[in-house]
Every structure is written in structure tokens, then in C-alpha cells.
Amino acid sequence: MPKFAANLSMMFTEVPFLDRFEAAAKAGFKYVEYLFPYEYPAAELKAKLDQYGLKQVLFNTAPGNVSAGEWGVSAIPGREADSHRDIDQALEYAIALGCPNVHVMAGVVPDPKEYAKYKQTFIDNVRYAADKFKPYGIKVLLEALSPQVKPNYLMSSQYQTLELVELINRDNVFVQLDYFHAQNVDGNLSRLTDRLKGKFAHVQIASVPDRHEPDEGEINYTYIFNKLDEVGYDGWVGCEYNPRGKTEDGLVWFEAYKNK
Ligand SMILES: O=C(O)[C@H](O)C(=O)CO
Ligand SMILES: [Mg+2]
């Protein structure tokens, strides 16, 4: 039975970010994830987690200069120092927040001819992250993003990410399996889940095509949740979706799971 994490970057946006911890707890969530913690002192976020009895299960390394089109720097040749600085910063936050997973963001490849160079840069920087995180039992997660969300991101297919995980060859590096992106790019989610068995350590869900609650669209999530049990997945499932309306009004689907 999946353990669901509220994504505080996309859910409960009716209230300011620091009030979303309370909103998620009141809605029955025990776990949370969000994109970036860096605007706030780690102690302030940890106090929120403790106040509402929540566990943080994921956040990302810093995105770089988003207004310049960056979405992660760890794949960008020449930005190794920035990548290592972001990885070191993420480690500090993960330790302070008690967070077991960090999504190391790769970056956008402006020219497809540059892909091999960006890929090797990412492999080297993820190995740096894996070796720094290892003593603390923290996992490194790598995620493919569909082109309609992030054009020219280093990885668009789950199978590309699986190849990277295997090339990086560190036992604390895993795929972050976001079924929204997976359905948009790869499809055949049953075969994909079987193929990724043991290689993924976090899941995210949203409807396709509209990235709303998992109770609509072309993915049968009841089937997927049973498939996750079938392959022995015991990690968390992040609800990385844009609510159709008021967040709480869209949580009927969650009723069947929240007290498990
Ligand atoms: O956008 C997503 O699906 C990712 O989970 C993310 O964290 C940033 O791209
Ligand atoms: Mg995702």
C-alpha cells in the first residue's frame, strides 16, 4: 500500500508556503515533498515538520538561473563548482530535515550535439553527490522530464535515466519514477515498472494529460498502486499534481489510503 507525500510546491497553494505544512497534516498526510527548501533556514522548516508530525521525503538540488532557462546545473560542463556547491548545500538541508532522498537536477542541453559531454558531466557530478551522501544514508534520485514540461532536459525517457543510474554505478543512486512524465514519453507503464524494479526509490503521480489529481485521465492509478506493491516498492509516492480546484476538494481519491 503506497505511502503518499503531499507536494507542497503544487498542492495547498491557497495558503503561503509555510502554512502548507499544517494544511497537509490536517488533510491527513504524514509525508511531504517540495522542490526547493533554500529560501528558508533549515531549522525553520524542521520546526514546521515537527510541529505537524510530518516527515520530509524529497527535495531537489538548486535549479540554477531559472530566468535564464536553467533547470539544474549538474549536467552543464564548466559548472562543476556550482554543482558541487549545490550538492553540498542539499546535503546540509537533508541532514537537518532528516530527508532520505535528494533529487539531483541535471540541466537543459541547448544543442543535441552536446549531449555526450553533458551526460558525462552529469555522471561525474552525480558520483560526487553519491559519495558525499553515502555516509548519511541519503539517496540520490535522477528524474526524466517530459519535453512539454522541460524542453531539452538531459533526460526525457525513464530508460535514459535507468542507463545513467547503471553507468554511475553507485548503490545509493536511483530513478525518481514520475508516472506523469513516464506516460507522456515512454508509455507501457506496466512493462516500465517491471523493468525498473529495484532501480527506483521514489515515485510521483499526476493525471495525464492535465497533471491534476490521480483520479482522472488516461492512467489507472489503482492498477499502478497495485503494481507498485507487486514489484515490492516500499518508498513514497509524491502527489506532484496541480489540483483542479481547492486542494482539499480534490482529495476524495486519498480517503481510501490516508489512514493506512
Ligand atoms: O517537474 C517534475 O516532475 C520534477 O519532479 C521536479 O522536481 C522538477 O522538475
Ligand atoms: Mg516529478
Side-chain angles (χ1 to χ4, degrees):
M1 183 65 70
K3 300 176 288 191
F4 292 99
N7 184 296
L8 303 186
S9 299
M10 295 173 82
M11 298 170 74
F12 303 104
T13 55
E14 300 86 0
V15 297
F17 179 77
L18 289 176
D19 294 334
R20 297 177 194 170
F21 294 81
E22 179 181 12
K26 277 188 175 162
F29 286 97
K30 300 186 181 77
Y31 310 103
V32 296
E33 63 175 37
Y34 46 84
L35 287 175
F36 310 112
Y38 309 111
E39 266 184 74
Y40 306 93
E44 184 173 8
L45 297 170
K46 183 70 167 72
K48 286 289 182 186
L49 293 167
D50 294 346
Q51 183 179 357
Y52 296 106
L54 296 167
K55 176 173 181 58
Q56 175 133 12
V57 298
L58 176 75
F59 64 88
N60 299 1
T61 53
N65 183 347
V66 177
S67 56
E70 293 183 348
W71 198 238
V73 300
S74 289
I76 304 177
R79 300 287 295 277
E80 289 80 359
D82 293 336
S83 165
H84 293 188
R85 180 205 63 219
D86 292 350
I87 288 163
D88 293 347
Q89 180 189 44
L91 177 58
E92 278 176 37
Y93 270 82
I95 294 167
L97 298 174
C99 185
N101 299 309
V102 175
H103 168 195
V104 175
M105 296 179 69
V108 173
V109 184
D111 175 356
K113 292 195 291 298
E114 300 279 289
Y115 178 78
K117 205 160 44 165
Y118 279 62
K119 177 179 171 182
Q120 188 56 53
T121 301
F122 190 51
I123 288 169
D124 296 340
N125 287 330
V126 171
R127 285 176 174 157
Y128 172 85
D131 297 343
K132 294 282 279 198
F133 290 5
K134 178 77 176 172
Y136 302 92
I138 296 166
K139 293 187 177 80
V140 174
L141 305 180
L142 312 181
E143 183 185 17
L145 304 178
S146 43
Q148 71 265 41
V149 169
K150 195 53 68 179
N152 305 316
Y153 192 73
L154 182 72
M155 306 92 81
S156 55
S157 161
Q158 305 298 319
Y159 295 101
Q160 267 181 298
T161 311
L162 177 61
E163 183 208 16
L164 280 166
V165 166
E166 291 171 344
L167 286 169
I168 288 160
N169 192 28
R170 293 290 193 278
D171 65 6
N172 62 331
V173 179
F174 295 86
V175 174
Q176 177 171 314
L177 173 50
D178 184 323
Y179 280 105
F180 170 78
H181 297 302
Q183 178 65 2
N184 277 294
V185 175
D186 299 297
N188 199 328
L189 300 181
S190 306
R191 182 189 65 188
L192 174 69
T193 306
D194 285 333
R195 181 69 185 86
L196 289 178
K197 181 176 178 178
K199 302 283 188 179
F200 67 100
H202 192 71
V203 166
Q204 291 174 318
I205 60 172
S207 70
V208 173
D210 296 324
R211 208 170 191 181
H212 288 324
E213 285 83 348
D215 57 7
E216 66 166 56
E218 64 191 58
I219 301 177
N220 177 343
Y221 273 109
T222 303
Y223 174 87
I224 291 291
F225 298 158
N226 290 330
K227 187 71 186 170
L228 289 173
D229 288 342
E230 187 188 303
V231 300
Y233 176 68
D234 63 358
W236 289 278
V237 175
C239 301
E240 195 178 39
Y241 65 78
N242 294 301
R244 289 181 289 262
K246 192 167 181 291
T247 305
E248 287 84 350
D249 294 346
L251 285 173
V252 173
W253 71 270
F254 183 51
E255 288 300 317
Y257 302 101
K258 69 180 182 181
N259 296 319
K260 296 287 183 273

PDB file of all heavy atoms in Angstrom, residues 38 42 59 85-99 102 133 136 138:
ATOM      1  N   TYR A  38      15.548  26.139  -0.033  1.00  0.00           N
ATOM      2  CA  TYR A  38      16.670  27.046   0.235  1.00  0.00           C
ATOM      3  C   TYR A  38      16.288  28.472   0.609  1.00  0.00           C
ATOM      4  O   TYR A  38      17.136  29.223   1.092  1.00  0.00           O
ATOM      5  CB  TYR A  38      17.618  27.021  -0.970  1.00  0.00           C
ATOM      6  CG  TYR A  38      17.975  25.606  -1.358  1.00  0.00           C
ATOM      7  CD1 TYR A  38      17.512  25.036  -2.542  1.00  0.00           C
ATOM      8  CD2 TYR A  38      18.715  24.786  -0.494  1.00  0.00           C
ATOM      9  CE1 TYR A  38      17.807  23.724  -2.885  1.00  0.00           C
ATOM     10  CE2 TYR A  38      19.012  23.473  -0.827  1.00  0.00           C
ATOM     11  CZ  TYR A  38      18.546  22.947  -2.013  1.00  0.00           C
ATOM     12  OH  TYR A  38      18.814  21.646  -2.352  1.00  0.00           O
ATOM     13  N   ALA A  42      16.991  25.905   7.445  1.00  0.00           N
ATOM     14  CA  ALA A  42      16.573  24.510   7.636  1.00  0.00           C
ATOM     15  C   ALA A  42      15.855  24.336   8.973  1.00  0.00           C
ATOM     16  O   ALA A  42      14.870  23.597   9.070  1.00  0.00           O
ATOM     17  CB  ALA A  42      17.789  23.589   7.548  1.00  0.00           C
ATOM     18  N   PHE A  59      13.432  16.569  -1.688  1.00  0.00           N
ATOM     19  CA  PHE A  59      13.541  17.909  -2.254  1.00  0.00           C
ATOM     20  C   PHE A  59      14.646  17.848  -3.310  1.00  0.00           C
ATOM     21  O   PHE A  59      15.293  16.814  -3.508  1.00  0.00           O
ATOM     22  CB  PHE A  59      13.818  18.989  -1.188  1.00  0.00           C
ATOM     23  CG  PHE A  59      15.142  18.847  -0.480  1.00  0.00           C
ATOM     24  CD1 PHE A  59      16.293  19.440  -0.995  1.00  0.00           C
ATOM     25  CD2 PHE A  59      15.239  18.110   0.695  1.00  0.00           C
ATOM     26  CE1 PHE A  59      17.520  19.314  -0.340  1.00  0.00           C
ATOM     27  CE2 PHE A  59      16.464  17.983   1.362  1.00  0.00           C
ATOM     28  CZ  PHE A  59      17.604  18.581   0.837  1.00  0.00           C
ATOM     29  N   ARG A  85      28.767  22.840  -5.120  1.00  0.00           N
ATOM     30  CA  ARG A  85      28.244  23.744  -4.078  1.00  0.00           C
ATOM     31  C   ARG A  85      26.771  23.434  -3.794  1.00  0.00           C
ATOM     32  O   ARG A  85      26.337  23.310  -2.642  1.00  0.00           O
ATOM     33  CB  ARG A  85      28.391  25.206  -4.549  1.00  0.00           C
ATOM     34  CG  ARG A  85      27.882  26.245  -3.553  1.00  0.00           C
ATOM     35  CD  ARG A  85      27.503  27.517  -4.265  1.00  0.00           C
ATOM     36  NE  ARG A  85      26.394  27.246  -5.204  1.00  0.00           N
ATOM     37  CZ  ARG A  85      26.309  27.809  -6.424  1.00  0.00           C
ATOM     38  NH1 ARG A  85      27.253  28.633  -6.853  1.00  0.00           N
ATOM     39  NH2 ARG A  85      25.286  27.524  -7.211  1.00  0.00           N
ATOM     40  N   ASP A  86      25.984  23.213  -4.852  1.00  0.00           N
ATOM     41  CA  ASP A  86      24.555  22.902  -4.679  1.00  0.00           C
ATOM     42  C   ASP A  86      24.365  21.550  -3.988  1.00  0.00           C
ATOM     43  O   ASP A  86      23.480  21.378  -3.149  1.00  0.00           O
ATOM     44  CB  ASP A  86      23.844  22.884  -6.041  1.00  0.00           C
ATOM     45  CG  ASP A  86      23.767  24.271  -6.677  1.00  0.00           C
ATOM     46  OD1 ASP A  86      24.087  25.265  -5.967  1.00  0.00           O
ATOM     47  OD2 ASP A  86      23.433  24.372  -7.862  1.00  0.00           O
ATOM     48  N   ILE A  87      25.223  20.593  -4.340  1.00  0.00           N
ATOM     49  CA  ILE A  87      25.130  19.259  -3.731  1.00  0.00           C
ATOM     50  C   ILE A  87      25.496  19.336  -2.246  1.00  0.00           C
ATOM     51  O   ILE A  87      24.808  18.771  -1.385  1.00  0.00           O
ATOM     52  CB  ILE A  87      26.036  18.274  -4.496  1.00  0.00           C
ATOM     53  CG1 ILE A  87      25.414  17.951  -5.873  1.00  0.00           C
ATOM     54  CG2 ILE A  87      26.321  17.012  -3.692  1.00  0.00           C
ATOM     55  CD1 ILE A  87      26.375  17.327  -6.862  1.00  0.00           C
ATOM     56  N   ASP A  88      26.535  20.101  -1.933  1.00  0.00           N
ATOM     57  CA  ASP A  88      26.923  20.268  -0.519  1.00  0.00           C
ATOM     58  C   ASP A  88      25.819  20.965   0.277  1.00  0.00           C
ATOM     59  O   ASP A  88      25.504  20.590   1.408  1.00  0.00           O
ATOM     60  CB  ASP A  88      28.222  21.081  -0.426  1.00  0.00           C
ATOM     61  CG  ASP A  88      29.428  20.330  -0.997  1.00  0.00           C
ATOM     62  OD1 ASP A  88      29.300  19.112  -1.236  1.00  0.00           O
ATOM     63  OD2 ASP A  88      30.463  20.979  -1.236  1.00  0.00           O
ATOM     64  N   GLN A  89      25.190  21.965  -0.345  1.00  0.00           N
ATOM     65  CA  GLN A  89      24.080  22.677   0.310  1.00  0.00           C
ATOM     66  C   GLN A  89      22.890  21.727   0.535  1.00  0.00           C
ATOM     67  O   GLN A  89      22.289  21.707   1.614  1.00  0.00           O
ATOM     68  CB  GLN A  89      23.632  23.867  -0.549  1.00  0.00           C
ATOM     69  CG  GLN A  89      22.481  24.671   0.057  1.00  0.00           C
ATOM     70  CD  GLN A  89      21.919  25.705  -0.914  1.00  0.00           C
ATOM     71  OE1 GLN A  89      21.718  25.417  -2.104  1.00  0.00           O
ATOM     72  NE2 GLN A  89      21.659  26.894  -0.418  1.00  0.00           N
ATOM     73  N   ALA A  90      22.594  20.917  -0.471  1.00  0.00           N
ATOM     74  CA  ALA A  90      21.479  19.962  -0.348  1.00  0.00           C
ATOM     75  C   ALA A  90      21.761  18.965   0.765  1.00  0.00           C
ATOM     76  O   ALA A  90      20.862  18.600   1.536  1.00  0.00           O
ATOM     77  CB  ALA A  90      21.262  19.243  -1.671  1.00  0.00           C
ATOM     78  N   LEU A  91      23.015  18.540   0.900  1.00  0.00           N
ATOM     79  CA  LEU A  91      23.365  17.604   1.966  1.00  0.00           C
ATOM     80  C   LEU A  91      23.120  18.224   3.339  1.00  0.00           C
ATOM     81  O   LEU A  91      22.535  17.584   4.228  1.00  0.00           O
ATOM     82  CB  LEU A  91      24.833  17.170   1.832  1.00  0.00           C
ATOM     83  CG  LEU A  91      25.367  16.236   2.926  1.00  0.00           C
ATOM     84  CD1 LEU A  91      24.542  14.956   3.016  1.00  0.00           C
ATOM     85  CD2 LEU A  91      26.844  15.916   2.670  1.00  0.00           C
ATOM     86  N   GLU A  92      23.517  19.477   3.501  1.00  0.00           N
ATOM     87  CA  GLU A  92      23.268  20.161   4.785  1.00  0.00           C
ATOM     88  C   GLU A  92      21.780  20.170   5.113  1.00  0.00           C
ATOM     89  O   GLU A  92      21.363  19.852   6.231  1.00  0.00           O
ATOM     90  CB  GLU A  92      23.746  21.617   4.693  1.00  0.00           C
ATOM     91  CG  GLU A  92      25.235  21.839   4.907  1.00  0.00           C
ATOM     92  CD  GLU A  92      25.596  23.319   4.683  1.00  0.00           C
ATOM     93  OE1 GLU A  92      24.783  24.196   5.049  1.00  0.00           O
ATOM     94  OE2 GLU A  92      26.658  23.553   4.095  1.00  0.00           O
ATOM     95  N   TYR A  93      20.950  20.509   4.127  1.00  0.00           N
ATOM     96  CA  TYR A  93      19.491  20.557   4.353  1.00  0.00           C
ATOM     97  C   TYR A  93      18.928  19.159   4.609  1.00  0.00           C
ATOM     98  O   TYR A  93      18.083  18.965   5.485  1.00  0.00           O
ATOM     99  CB  TYR A  93      18.790  21.218   3.169  1.00  0.00           C
ATOM    100  CG  TYR A  93      18.653  22.721   3.304  1.00  0.00           C
ATOM    101  CD1 TYR A  93      19.704  23.573   2.968  1.00  0.00           C
ATOM    102  CD2 TYR A  93      17.475  23.288   3.797  1.00  0.00           C
ATOM    103  CE1 TYR A  93      19.581  24.941   3.119  1.00  0.00           C
ATOM    104  CE2 TYR A  93      17.332  24.662   3.928  1.00  0.00           C
ATOM    105  CZ  TYR A  93      18.398  25.490   3.588  1.00  0.00           C
ATOM    106  OH  TYR A  93      18.267  26.860   3.737  1.00  0.00           O
ATOM    107  N   ALA A  94      19.406  18.172   3.858  1.00  0.00           N
ATOM    108  CA  ALA A  94      18.868  16.813   4.025  1.00  0.00           C
ATOM    109  C   ALA A  94      19.161  16.286   5.416  1.00  0.00           C
ATOM    110  O   ALA A  94      18.305  15.676   6.062  1.00  0.00           O
ATOM    111  CB  ALA A  94      19.461  15.891   2.967  1.00  0.00           C
ATOM    112  N   ILE A  95      20.365  16.559   5.919  1.00  0.00           N
ATOM    113  CA  ILE A  95      20.719  16.127   7.278  1.00  0.00           C
ATOM    114  C   ILE A  95      19.843  16.844   8.294  1.00  0.00           C
ATOM    115  O   ILE A  95      19.232  16.241   9.183  1.00  0.00           O
ATOM    116  CB  ILE A  95      22.212  16.390   7.558  1.00  0.00           C
ATOM    117  CG1 ILE A  95      23.083  15.503   6.662  1.00  0.00           C
ATOM    118  CG2 ILE A  95      22.536  16.170   9.035  1.00  0.00           C
ATOM    119  CD1 ILE A  95      24.548  15.919   6.638  1.00  0.00           C
ATOM    120  N   ALA A  96      19.701  18.160   8.127  1.00  0.00           N
ATOM    121  CA  ALA A  96      18.920  18.962   9.096  1.00  0.00           C
ATOM    122  C   ALA A  96      17.436  18.590   9.084  1.00  0.00           C
ATOM    123  O   ALA A  96      16.772  18.598  10.123  1.00  0.00           O
ATOM    124  CB  ALA A  96      19.082  20.443   8.773  1.00  0.00           C
ATOM    125  N   LEU A  97      16.926  18.239   7.906  1.00  0.00           N
ATOM    126  CA  LEU A  97      15.488  17.926   7.780  1.00  0.00           C
ATOM    127  C   LEU A  97      15.189  16.445   7.984  1.00  0.00           C
ATOM    128  O   LEU A  97      14.027  16.036   8.011  1.00  0.00           O
ATOM    129  CB  LEU A  97      14.983  18.370   6.396  1.00  0.00           C
ATOM    130  CG  LEU A  97      15.083  19.870   6.092  1.00  0.00           C
ATOM    131  CD1 LEU A  97      14.681  20.154   4.645  1.00  0.00           C
ATOM    132  CD2 LEU A  97      14.214  20.684   7.056  1.00  0.00           C
ATOM    133  N   GLY A  98      16.233  15.626   8.074  1.00  0.00           N
ATOM    134  CA  GLY A  98      16.009  14.181   8.192  1.00  0.00           C
ATOM    135  C   GLY A  98      15.410  13.610   6.923  1.00  0.00           C
ATOM    136  O   GLY A  98      14.602  12.668   6.952  1.00  0.00           O
ATOM    137  N   CYS A  99      15.788  14.196   5.784  1.00  0.00           N
ATOM    138  CA  CYS A  99      15.200  13.802   4.494  1.00  0.00           C
ATOM    139  C   CYS A  99      16.081  12.737   3.815  1.00  0.00           C
ATOM    140  O   CYS A  99      17.261  12.962   3.587  1.00  0.00           O
ATOM    141  CB  CYS A  99      15.081  15.026   3.590  1.00  0.00           C
ATOM    142  SG  CYS A  99      14.247  14.666   2.038  1.00  0.00           S
ATOM    143  N   VAL A 102      17.310  13.025  -2.167  1.00  0.00           N
ATOM    144  CA  VAL A 102      17.567  14.309  -2.823  1.00  0.00           C
ATOM    145  C   VAL A 102      17.575  14.083  -4.340  1.00  0.00           C
ATOM    146  O   VAL A 102      18.292  13.208  -4.833  1.00  0.00           O
ATOM    147  CB  VAL A 102      18.910  14.932  -2.389  1.00  0.00           C
ATOM    148  CG1 VAL A 102      19.194  16.205  -3.204  1.00  0.00           C
ATOM    149  CG2 VAL A 102      18.903  15.252  -0.891  1.00  0.00           C
ATOM    150  N   PHE A 133      26.837  11.751  -0.026  1.00  0.00           N
ATOM    151  CA  PHE A 133      25.586  11.417   0.689  1.00  0.00           C
ATOM    152  C   PHE A 133      25.684  10.064   1.383  1.00  0.00           C
ATOM    153  O   PHE A 133      24.995   9.806   2.369  1.00  0.00           O
ATOM    154  CB  PHE A 133      24.415  11.399  -0.283  1.00  0.00           C
ATOM    155  CG  PHE A 133      23.984  12.736  -0.837  1.00  0.00           C
ATOM    156  CD1 PHE A 133      24.674  13.898  -0.569  1.00  0.00           C
ATOM    157  CD2 PHE A 133      22.874  12.810  -1.664  1.00  0.00           C
ATOM    158  CE1 PHE A 133      24.277  15.125  -1.100  1.00  0.00           C
ATOM    159  CE2 PHE A 133      22.454  14.030  -2.206  1.00  0.00           C
ATOM    160  CZ  PHE A 133      23.150  15.179  -1.913  1.00  0.00           C
ATOM    161  N   TYR A 136      25.674   9.269   5.132  1.00  0.00           N
ATOM    162  CA  TYR A 136      24.469   9.695   5.875  1.00  0.00           C
ATOM    163  C   TYR A 136      23.246   8.862   5.470  1.00  0.00           C
ATOM    164  O   TYR A 136      22.130   9.146   5.914  1.00  0.00           O
ATOM    165  CB  TYR A 136      24.208  11.186   5.616  1.00  0.00           C
ATOM    166  CG  TYR A 136      25.383  12.064   6.006  1.00  0.00           C
ATOM    167  CD1 TYR A 136      26.366  12.397   5.064  1.00  0.00           C
ATOM    168  CD2 TYR A 136      25.555  12.486   7.327  1.00  0.00           C
ATOM    169  CE1 TYR A 136      27.463  13.169   5.429  1.00  0.00           C
ATOM    170  CE2 TYR A 136      26.653  13.259   7.692  1.00  0.00           C
ATOM    171  CZ  TYR A 136      27.599  13.582   6.729  1.00  0.00           C
ATOM    172  OH  TYR A 136      28.706  14.347   7.082  1.00  0.00           O
ATOM    173  N   ILE A 138      21.779   8.824   2.638  1.00  0.00           N
ATOM    174  CA  ILE A 138      20.868   9.616   1.806  1.00  0.00           C
ATOM    175  C   ILE A 138      20.975   9.145   0.354  1.00  0.00           C
ATOM    176  O   ILE A 138      22.087   8.929  -0.154  1.00  0.00           O
ATOM    177  CB  ILE A 138      21.196  11.120   1.923  1.00  0.00           C
ATOM    178  CG1 ILE A 138      20.943  11.586   3.375  1.00  0.00           C
ATOM    179  CG2 ILE A 138      20.368  11.964   0.949  1.00  0.00           C
ATOM    180  CD1 ILE A 138      21.532  12.935   3.711  1.00  0.00           C
TER     181      ILE A 138
END
